[in-house]
Amino acid sequence: MKIFAWITDHLIYFVLGVGIVSFLFPGPGSLFGWIVTPVLALMVLSISMTINVGDLIRVSKYPLVIVWSVILQFVVMALFSILLGRIFLSPMTAMNTGQVLLGSLPADISAPLMISIVEGDTALGIAMLVTAMVLTPFVLPNILTLFGGITLSVPTRYLEVELVGIIIIPLILGIVLNYYSANVREKRDTWPGLAALCYLLLLFVVVSSNVGTIVSLKEFAFVIIGVEILLNLFGYGLAYLSKRIFKQSRATFLSLLFITSTKEFGIAPAAVSTMELKNTVTIPSVFYAVIQMISAPVVVKIVKYWDSRTHEEPI
């Protein structure tokens, strides 16, 4: 159990190490793409075991915050992503389409883990994530058409499996275990460490599986890296701006910080498979996946450092 806590406290170093090893030696990780779904479900289960029924009741009192998070995820981030695509990727039609799609995606499933590690409002973060995932089949095609002039079929089956199998069922199971098991409640601080191990395994697979794509772009890869870093930083900036404007609490701000800045990158490949599009469409999501999986632990480290220096609200 102490090992789990130690991994959580030093997550950024493990992330950098795993990222480097995965990039230099992609062979082993690229063989384990099949584990992504069960590992994601285990991650959600682990974080859900830190949540109780009272947390859900409390979160229901903040509908406007959840609505605001949806607007930031689907609208504001989409508009900025479209702008970046037109500036840097316009000559490459398929990749530009991928950039528009990326900006219109909901938050990533790993966001609640980061919220939990920095002691944000994990229940609120999960509520933001679930709400966005439920709305995705209805909102995503309209956002793409309205802002990007793109008509894409949403991979409904993929979204249903992800929502029910990876999020809803593990979430309910985790809350039930928290309610009925005193042992689960007593070890509340342990479960984010288990989720962190899942995160590292996912990073290993994601980087390993996409090294070929990244390397094949040669010098242009640096352009895409720059574009996705800008989009990622914009997401963090939106959360900070929301905190300043609406005077949000520390817990709410930290929830919005990781919900706004992450993107569920698995939807893009599913859309490509569903519509038989060019694989180039997935490239922005591939790069963003790696960037967000590295930047999120970095931001966690920054938040913790700020807390240790100020002993009050961070940033």
Side-chain angles (χ1 to χ4, degrees), residues 24-269:
L24 296 177
F25 307 100
S30 61
L31 300 175
F32 291 95
W34 59 271
I35 69 171
V36 171
T37 297
V39 170
L40 281 172
L42 180 59
M43 180 191 295
V44 174
L45 173 63
S46 302
I47 295 301
S48 299
M49 287 192 291
T50 67
I51 298 173
N52 55 47
V53 177
D55 292 327
L56 297 180
I57 295 174
R58 174 180 49 77
V59 165
S60 65
K61 299 178 182 178
Y62 301 98
L64 292 181
V65 175
I66 296 174
V67 170
W68 179 239
S69 75
V70 170
I71 293 173
L72 293 182
Q73 290 175 71
F74 286 122
V75 180
V76 185
M77 285 291 282
L79 290 174
F80 188 69
S81 188
I82 290 170
L83 178 63
L84 291 175
R86 289 181 178 177
I87 294 175
F88 297 102
L89 306 176
S90 56
M92 308 180 72
T93 304
M95 198 174 296
N96 190 29
T97 298
Q99 186 65 32
V100 176
L101 174 60
L102 169 64
S104 308
L105 296 177
D108 188 58
I109 296 173
S110 64
L113 166 61
M114 301 302 161
I115 297 169
S116 176
I117 294 176
V118 295
E119 299 181 0
D121 193 332
T122 307
L124 179 60
I126 289 180
M128 293 175 177
L129 175 65
V130 171
T131 301
M133 291 298 297
V134 170
L135 292 175
T136 296
F138 310 101
V139 175
L140 181 57
N142 293 307
I143 293 294
L144 291 173
T145 302
L146 181 62
F147 295 145
I150 298 171
T151 302
L152 287 179
S153 296
V154 176
T156 306
R157 184 175 181 181
Y158 171 85
L159 290 173
E160 290 174 348
V161 170
E162 183 174 48
L163 179 62
V164 177
I166 299 179
I167 299 179
I168 299 298
I169 293 177
L171 175 62
I172 294 174
L173 180 59
I175 293 173
V176 169
L177 288 172
N178 180 285
Y179 183 81
Y180 285 104
S181 174
N183 192 39
V184 167
R185 294 192 296 272
E186 290 171 0
K187 297 176 180 178
R188 184 182 185 280
D189 295 336
T190 300
W191 306 127
L194 178 58
L197 281 177
C198 295
Y199 188 84
L200 293 173
L201 186 55
L202 288 171
L203 176 65
F204 182 57
V205 173
V206 168
V207 175
S208 298
S209 301
N210 294 292
V211 166
T213 300
I214 295 172
V215 173
S216 68
L217 293 171
K218 299 179 181 180
E219 294 83 1
F220 192 69
F222 293 100
V223 176
I224 304 176
I225 289 173
V227 169
E228 307 316 337
I229 288 177
L230 287 174
L231 181 61
N232 189 232
L233 291 176
F234 183 72
Y236 290 121
L238 285 176
Y240 179 69
L241 188 61
S242 296
K243 171 182 169 60
R244 304 299 295 182
I245 293 175
F246 300 114
K247 309 299 180 182
Q248 294 169 336
S249 68
R250 175 186 185 277
T252 299
F253 160 64
L254 292 175
S255 299
L256 203 59
L257 187 68
F258 294 102
I259 288 294
T260 307
S261 61
T262 60
K263 290 293 182 182
E264 205 297 282
F265 50 86
I267 295 177

Side-chain angles (χ1 to χ4, degrees), residues 269-281:
V272 167
S273 177
T274 299
M275 297 191 65
E276 299 182 352
L277 301 172
K278 293 181 178 179
N279 288 331
T280 311
V281 171

